[in-house]
């Protein structure tokens, strides 16, 4: 359901999830109360707090549905059993983990080398189906800028400048 938390900060993540419908945000809230979005997970994406799930420690992230969503969950023991019984599943998860790491590395590089406007343009051109579902506030929390600046960028783009 929309706005429902799949994971709450401070609890141990007991799942890895595959999104079959909808969209989730993975986020933290800093000491000043500002939301910081790590990523959005839409249909056919995986969703988890990998640190909490792997190490069985309290989560640093919260995961919330942005719309009515469906997700298939696998717990740690079932995942390990799959690895044991089906080595191809372990290979699949290794490849997915590598792709995720590459994606996060590229995002870090963009955050350090592109302007806020360039990061916004990259986000909306790379993930148009996700961008359409989000508010300026949610995009700003992902890009690390203010929602007012997102509004300014959108206005500039709509004027064709």
């Amino acid at each position: 359901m929309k706005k429902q938390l799949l994971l709450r900060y401070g609890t141990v993540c007991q799942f890895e999830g595959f999104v079959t419908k909808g969209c989730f945000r993975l986020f933290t809230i800093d000491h000043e109360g500002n939301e910081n979005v790590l990523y959005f997970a839409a249909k056919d994406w995986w969703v988890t707090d990998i640190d909490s799930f792997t190490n069985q420690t309290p989560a640093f992230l919260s995961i919330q549905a942005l719309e009515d969503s469906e997700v298939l969950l696998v717990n740690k023991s079932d995942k390990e059993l799959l690895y044991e019984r089906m080595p191809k599943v372990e290979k699949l998860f290794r490849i997915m983990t590598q792709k995720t790491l590459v994606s996060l590395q590229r995002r870090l590089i963009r955050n350090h080398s592109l302007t806020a406007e360039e990061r916004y343009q990259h986000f909306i051109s790379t993930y148009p189906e996700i961008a359409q579902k989000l508010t300026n506030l949610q995009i700003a929390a992902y890009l690390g800028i203010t929602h007012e600046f997102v509004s300014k960028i959108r206005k500039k783009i709509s004027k064709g400048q």
Side-chain angles (χ1 to χ4, degrees):
M1 297 195 74
K2 185 176 180 176
K3 296 191 178 186
Q4 182 177 351
L5 284 175
L6 190 58
L7 178 67
R8 184 179 304 276
Y9 170 89
T11 61
V12 176
C13 184
Q14 301 294 334
F15 64 87
E16 285 191 26
F18 183 77
V19 181
T20 59
K21 176 185 165 194
C23 187
F24 293 85
R25 67 185 175 126
L26 288 83
F27 67 99
T28 62
I29 297 178
D30 67 22
H31 297 296
E32 297 172 6
N34 299 313
E35 181 182 296
N36 298 290
V37 174
L38 182 63
Y39 70 92
F40 300 100
K43 185 177 186 283
D44 298 331
W45 287 37
W46 286 87
V47 62
T48 190
D49 180 324
I50 194 66
D51 181 7
S52 177
F53 179 75
T54 301
N55 299 310
Q56 291 297 282
T57 55
F60 286 103
L61 298 171
S62 292
I63 302 173
Q64 184 180 41
L66 294 176
E67 59 188 3
D68 288 344
S69 302
E70 294 175 4
V71 61
L72 303 174
L73 304 176
V74 63
N75 65 39
K76 192 168 179 67
S77 61
D78 287 344
K79 184 179 175 191
E80 292 299 326
L81 191 60
L82 277 171
Y83 284 173
E84 194 177 297
R85 292 187 179 168
M86 301 175 69
K88 287 184 179 189
V89 171
E90 186 167 19
K91 181 179 179 181
L92 171 68
F93 272 87
R94 178 182 52 80
I95 291 168
M96 290 182 337
T97 300
Q98 289 171 331
K99 287 182 178 188
T100 299
L101 185 57
V102 166
S103 177
L104 289 172
Q105 178 178 308
R106 288 178 179 172
R107 179 163 180 233
L108 281 171
I109 291 168
R110 282 192 306 275
N111 284 352
H112 289 289
S113 61
L114 299 180
T115 66
E117 187 170 341
E118 290 168 332
R119 292 192 317 266
Y120 174 82
Q121 290 281 14
H122 178 270
F123 177 73
I124 62 168
S125 65
T126 306
Y127 307 108
E129 70 288 346
I130 295 174
Q132 292 173 1
K133 301 175 184 223
L134 305 176
T135 65
N136 284 1
L137 196 60
Q138 291 164 335
I139 293 172
Y142 175 77
L143 296 174
I145 58 179
T146 65
H147 68 279
E148 292 89 359
F149 194 69
V150 171
S151 294
K152 183 179 175 182
I153 293 169
R154 282 184 164 177
K155 189 178 292 186
K156 180 179 176 183
I157 290 169
S158 71
K159 290 182 179 179
Q161 297 179 342

